[in-house]
Every structure is written in structure tokens, then in C-alpha cells.
Amino acid sequence: MLTVTKKTKIRHRNGINQTFASMPLPARRTLFLIMAQIDTKPLIEEGRIFEVSEKSYSKLCGIDIDTAYEQLKKGAEQLHE
């Protein structure tokens, strides 16, 4: 897993900005924290699992750990939909 910090940059096509803007904040944060872990050089193997802990979510989003856990759970559910 790549190291993700507040300075980590996520690059994506401009055409997807409207989709990101329409997503609820917990889903967007969760997705961005997953995307930040992707190494763009090798292909992503099918079935790869990305993990985001409530501790890293809390630290990177600047919120308390309980709120981070709730938002991460909600974000994962929203992305699953």
C-alpha cells in the first residue's frame, strides 16, 4: 500500500468531477482514500481489496475517531449502492 498523507494528490479525468460533486461526502472521502492507495504504474489485479481504517480516515479528514467510523461505514454502504 502506498503512503497516504494530506499532501497526496489524486489525479482523474475532468469529466468525472460532476459525478464526484453529486456524491455524499462520506462516499467521496472513502473513494478518494481508496484512490490515493492506487499505484498507477502496474495494472490493478482483479479482486484487489483496498482497506481504509477509521484511524487513517479520522487523521486525514480531521475528525474524531467515532465520527470517522460512522462516516466510513456509511461511505462504504453508499459506494456499494
Side-chain angles (χ1 to χ4, degrees):
M1 180 171 102
L2 299 175
T3 303
V4 179
T5 69
K6 289 184 178 189
K7 293 184 178 187
T8 301
K9 298 201 185 301
I10 300 170
R11 292 182 178 23
H12 56 80
R13 295 183 186 268
N14 288 337
I16 201 164
N17 285 340
Q18 188 174 8
T19 301
F20 287 147
S22 69
M23 294 172 72
L25 182 60
R28 196 172 355 150
R29 283 179 168 172
T30 303
L31 183 59
F32 284 155
L33 288 172
I34 291 167
M35 289 170 56
Q37 296 177 44
I38 298 173
D39 183 352
T40 58
K41 291 177 181 69
L43 289 176
I44 300 170
E45 65 275 2
E46 188 174 335
R48 167 112 186 252
I49 296 173
F50 293 93
E51 296 181 19
V52 178
S53 71
E54 64 275 4
K55 184 177 177 182
S56 64
Y57 189 100
S58 170
K59 181 180 174 185
L60 292 166
C61 296
I63 57 178
D64 66 85
I65 196 81
D66 293 329
T67 303
Y69 179 79
E70 291 174 22
Q71 285 189 11
L72 190 55
K73 182 178 177 183
K74 190 171 191 172
E77 290 169 353
Q78 292 166 338
L79 289 172
H80 184 71
E81 292 173 3

